[in-house]
Amino acid sequence: MTVALSVYVLMWPVVVAVVLFVISRGFFREWLEARRNGQDMI
């Protein structure tokens, strides 16, 4: 039971890190594309 609870608790930081990575990757990809085209992000 302890192992299951430990895995459950430790799973959330991994999920958050993956979501943050995906969002950051999309942001930087669009920022670089806008910069290459000479456009503003907003």
Side-chain angles (χ1 to χ4, degrees):
M1 185 67 176
T2 303
V3 173
L5 286 174
S6 296
V7 169
Y8 179 75
V9 169
L10 294 175
M11 175 181 72
W12 294 109
V14 173
V15 170
V16 169
V18 168
V19 170
L20 183 63
F21 172 75
V22 170
I23 291 172
S24 298
R25 187 180 68 178
F27 171 77
F28 284 113
R29 184 176 295 167
E30 291 198 11
W31 178 65
L32 288 174
E33 183 179 334
R35 191 170 174 180
R36 278 189 216 119
N37 295 334
Q39 299 173 340
D40 292 331
M41 282 284 291
I42 300 174

